[in-house]
Amino acid sequence: STQSTWELILLEAKSLVAAESTMSTDASQGIALKFLLELLSTFLQPLDSTHQQERQQKQQQQEKEERKEEEEQQEEEEGEGCELSAPIIRSFKRQHENIEALLHAYLSIRGIIIQKTKLTSDCVEIIKNLLDSLVTERDEDKRMFIAACLRDFGPAASLQTHQFILEQILAIIQPAKQAPTYQLLLRKKQSQEDFIRGSMSRQPYSSEEIGQTMRDITVRICRDLELELDADFGLELLVDSKIVSLDLPISQVYEQVWRRSSSFHASNGSPMIVVYRLQGLDGEATEERVDSLEEEDESYEDDEVQFAITTAVTESGSHELLLGFVRCVDLDPAIEKQKERSVMLLVLQLLVLCAKVQRNRFLLGENAIGILLSKLPMYSALI
């Protein structure tokens, strides 16, 4: 059963940690744990499309006899695309001990040094993949994972463990926004073919490899064509027959200049064409100049909605662990304690996000304010 499997996983992980106290090493360390993890992965791995359809048909028949609560939960599972074996994964998730066991095993094994082998490294990778597959976009999964993480956030845990846990929670609450990537075609001005040798042959270029601003484009051109020019004054860049300032972000130029151009619509959204030329060689520039653009407008989202998931921290009482950590840590600003500083900043960041929700502010109460104010001089030294 899945329950006995995770118990065995925990036992194997604990035996590996216990073996750290011995100075002997064994290349076979981790073989049993890897077998257990691969066994668990077999039951939780994605199904192929044929088995997936059969499973869905059987599920639909079973759902008719299940309670309404089961049916609603199954509909949510199907909303995820049935990427995982629904009956097994649903049963696995219901027992929060399973998530906790995997997380605890991961935190334990990733910290071993003496007993580290190829097998133990494989185990760490398998557990990480399992955890990633279990923590889906569903709010329930996220809350369960946050609660599991914070149960390992205790005084016995190392600072590395504290930092990892906080980073995982913050990544769920406030995931990093993926910057869009733009394709660029860098073309030489035809009238200057005789004056600029070579061409930018690797077409199209990705903004990810070039940089963030138009100046990064001139730097890349000068480097690839071996032009001994000042990147700020030697070259001019034109987009849609407009001279664009080198200070402008590529994203803004693409969205507000190229995307609005007739060339963009005529080419059905092809890569942005950037024409480069030597300044002053064709005489005085007569094209329109674009020196500034509107700041990109980020869509507003109410804090109560955006950070609603943080109630998983306070409703479980885990905020007391965080406040206890703040209360106990006494950093000396004159001493470099980088790890302690990093963890403290992460704790503060999490508490700030929690405080954006009214329910959390009520649960945090005046006690939290007093603790944070008492440590104010230390916080200023951290930042």
Side-chain angles (χ1 to χ4, degrees):
S1 66
T2 54
Q3 184 175 2
S4 60
T5 301
W6 66 254
E7 286 178 340
L8 289 172
I9 289 174
L10 266 183
L11 287 174
E12 287 297 322
K14 288 178 180 178
S15 67
L16 284 174
V17 174
E20 282 286 279
S21 59
T22 67
M23 298 307 294
S24 61
T25 59
D26 185 354
S28 65
Q29 286 283 21
I31 188 170
L33 180 59
K34 184 177 180 181
F35 171 78
L36 290 169
L37 290 171
E38 289 177 340
L39 178 64
L40 182 60
S41 299
T42 301
F43 287 102
L44 302 181
Q45 68 184 355
L47 301 171
D48 61 44
S49 57
T50 303
H51 291 167
Q52 193 172 352
Q53 292 175 0
E54 294 176 357
R55 176 78 66 173
Q56 288 176 351
Q57 291 174 358
K58 291 179 181 179
Q59 264 181 251
Q60 290 173 358
Q61 295 175 357
Q62 293 173 356
E63 284 175 355
K64 295 178 181 179
E65 302 175 0
E66 291 179 352
R67 295 176 300 173
K68 183 178 180 180
E69 179 181 353
E70 294 291 333
E71 292 178 353
E72 292 176 352
Q73 187 168 2
Q74 179 58 29
E75 288 174 359
E76 291 179 359
E77 295 277 320
E78 291 178 351
E80 296 175 11
C82 290
E83 292 180 355
L84 296 173
S85 180
I88 298 175
I89 194 68
R90 185 174 57 198
S91 174
F92 189 86
K93 286 182 180 179
R94 281 177 183 166
Q95 303 178 49
H96 62 80
E97 296 93 345
N98 296 334
I99 307 292
E100 290 180 33
L102 282 177
L103 181 63
H104 189 72
Y106 178 79
L107 294 174
S108 300
I109 302 171
R110 71 191 291 267
I112 65 176
I113 299 175
I114 298 176
Q115 303 302 325
K116 185 175 182 179
T117 64
K118 174 66 167 57
L119 290 168
T120 59
S121 298
D122 291 343
C123 290
V124 171
E125 186 67 25
I126 294 173
I127 298 176
K128 185 66 170 65
N129 292 335
L130 277 171
L131 289 172
D132 289 342
S133 67
L134 293 172
V135 184
T136 66
E137 289 301 314
R138 294 181 59 207
D139 187 76
E140 181 184 353
D141 291 342
K142 293 179 180 178
R143 288 176 175 276
M144 188 179 298
F145 185 73
I146 290 174
C149 283
L150 289 172
R151 288 189 188 96
D152 273 311
F153 191 91
S158 65
L159 285 172
Q160 291 91 336
T161 298
H162 285 157
Q163 183 168 347
F164 174 82
I165 288 173
L166 292 169
E167 287 173 348
Q168 295 300 304
I169 294 174
L170 288 170
I172 291 176
I173 296 173
Q174 200 172 33
K177 294 183 179 179
Q178 295 292 333
T181 301
Y182 300 100
Q183 299 298 313
L184 313 171
L185 289 175
L186 308 182
R187 295 181 177 174
K188 188 192 322 179
K189 182 74 172 178
Q190 290 185 351
S191 61
Q192 298 190 2
E193 287 284 348
D194 296 333
F195 300 94
I196 304 177
R197 295 182 179 180
S199 61
M200 304 297 289
S201 56
R202 284 190 54 215
Q203 305 282 11
Y205 289 83
S206 167
S207 60
E208 188 175 358
E209 64 174 302
I210 292 255
Q212 297 185 350
T213 67
M214 300 301 289
R215 177 175 288 102
D216 293 321
I217 296 179
T218 63
V219 171
R220 180 60 178 266
I221 293 171
C222 289
R223 190 194 74 184
D224 287 8
L225 300 184
E226 299 181 352
L227 299 175
E228 296 181 1
L229 298 172
D230 190 317
D232 287 336
F233 304 104
L235 290 177
E236 284 180 331
L237 300 181
L238 293 89
V239 175
D240 189 32
S241 300
K242 300 180 179 67
I243 302 174
V244 295
S245 170
L246 301 183
D247 294 325
L248 293 174
I250 294 175
S251 59
Q252 288 187 12
V253 175
Y254 187 97
E255 297 293 342
Q256 300 182 42
V257 179
W258 176 248
R259 188 178 287 276
R260 298 173 184 176
S261 68
S262 57
S263 300
F264 173 82
H265 296 287
S267 60
N268 217 10
S270 66
M272 180 169 71
I273 299 175
V274 181
V275 178
Y276 58 93
R277 70 184 183 190
L278 297 171
Q279 286 190 27
L281 189 61
D282 293 339
E284 186 177 353
T286 57
E287 294 88 354
E288 176 186 348
R289 299 191 64 90
V290 180
D291 294 318
S292 62
L293 293 168
E294 297 178 1
E295 291 294 328
E296 296 175 352
D297 183 26
E298 296 185 0
S299 56
Y300 171 77
E301 187 174 359
D302 183 38
D303 286 347
E304 292 288 335
V305 177
Q306 184 177 359
F307 302 110
I309 192 69
T310 58
T311 55
V313 177
T314 54
E315 290 177 355
S316 64
S318 299
H319 61 286
E320 295 293 345
L321 286 174
L322 300 174
L323 292 173
F325 181 86
V326 174
R327 187 188 298 110
C328 295
V329 172
D330 186 19
L331 297 181
D332 184 353
I335 301 176
E336 284 295 330
K337 295 184 178 180
Q338 189 59 44
K339 290 182 180 178
E340 290 89 336
R341 292 168 186 262
S342 300
V343 173
M344 180 61 75
L345 286 174
L346 291 173
V347 171
L348 290 176
Q349 187 178 348
L350 179 55
L351 289 173
V352 167
L353 294 179
C354 289
K356 291 180 179 290
V357 177
Q358 184 177 3
R359 171 67 175 166
N360 291 339
R361 292 196 294 270
F362 173 77
L363 293 175
L364 287 169
E366 295 182 0
N367 183 39
I369 299 176
I371 294 174
L372 295 176
L373 287 177
S374 67
K375 300 289 185 177
L376 189 59
M378 184 180 68
Y379 298 157
S380 61
L382 285 175
I383 302 173

